[in-house]
């Protein structure tokens, strides 16, 4: 797993605030997450693209910056299921769907950030929100070292709200 000490976050937060992470980890597979969970990190911050993150100290917490990529399409008889990895860019993901005639997310185009952050605050715009189209969220639980499948009904989606908002603070 890529790991960088004294990592500058200046270019990856939308305010371009200079803040140095003592160490930044860049997991790209489940095995990397399992490795991270064995390190006994007391606290850390998961950073997507930094568009909803305000850094206020010269020294940031330990950073985990996922580098999970890939989009899979599963055509079913009555619907299309699209599975997108956390580090895909949200706007590009919307474009990917539109190009293939997979409709619904158009109003959410141009929202800056990553796919992984989208369910955290249940992104929305122009009367549409992610929750209307999100069937399931896969979440890695650092305590049990396993991937948990959260079905839509278990995500606690509300206006700019979800259970994941609380989980990232745990
Ligand atoms: C100019 C501008 C316009 C915006 N317009 C809208 C809008 O129209 N609608 C809207 O809803 N929002 C909007 N936002 C807010 C922002 O686009 C969203 O909050 C977006 O989801 C942030 O994505 P990010 O990857 O940059 O998240 P970050 O800032 O990196 O992270 C945000 C939160 O998500 C957590 N997180 C990020 N990635 C993961 C992951 N893989 N796993 C677990 N937790 C994770 C972080 O720990 C943090 O708590 C706007 C922001 C800006 C700057």
């Amino acid at each position: 797993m890529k790991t960088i000490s004294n990592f500058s976050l200046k270019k990856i937060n939308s305010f371009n605030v200079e803040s140095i992470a003592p160490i930044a980890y860049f997991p790209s597979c489940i095995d990397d997450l399992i490795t991270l969970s064995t390190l006994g990190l007391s606290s850390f911050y998961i950073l997507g693209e930094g568009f909803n993150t305000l850094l206020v100290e010269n020294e940031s917490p330990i950073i985990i910056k996922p580098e999970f990529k890939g989009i899979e399409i599963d055509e079913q008889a009555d619907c299309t299921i699209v599975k997108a990895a956390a580090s895909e860019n949200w706007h590009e993901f919307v474009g990917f769907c539109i190009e293939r005639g997979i409709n619904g997310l158009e109003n959410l185009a141009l929202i800056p950030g990553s796919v992984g952050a989208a369910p955290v605050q249940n992104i929305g715009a122009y009367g549409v929100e992610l929750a209307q189209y999100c069937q399931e969220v896969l979440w890695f639980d650092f305590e049990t070292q396993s991937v948990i499948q959260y079905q839509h009904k278990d995500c606690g989606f509300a206006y700019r709200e979800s259970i994941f908002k609380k989980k990232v603070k745990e």
Side-chain angles (χ1 to χ4, degrees), residues 45-53 66 86 111-114 116-117 120-121 123-125 139 160 168:
Y45 184 80
I46 302 171
L47 185 64
E49 295 187 16
F51 282 99
N52 214 19
T53 295
I111 295 180
S114 60
V120 175
Q121 70 153 23
I123 59 168
W139 181 267
R160 304 296 175 270
V168 292

Side-chain angles (χ1 to χ4, degrees), residues 34-54:
I34 292 172
T35 301
L36 277 174
S37 65
T38 62
L39 297 181
L41 303 176
S42 53
S43 69
F44 56 81
Y45 184 80
I46 302 171
L47 185 64
E49 295 187 16
F51 282 99
N52 214 19
T53 295
L54 176 58

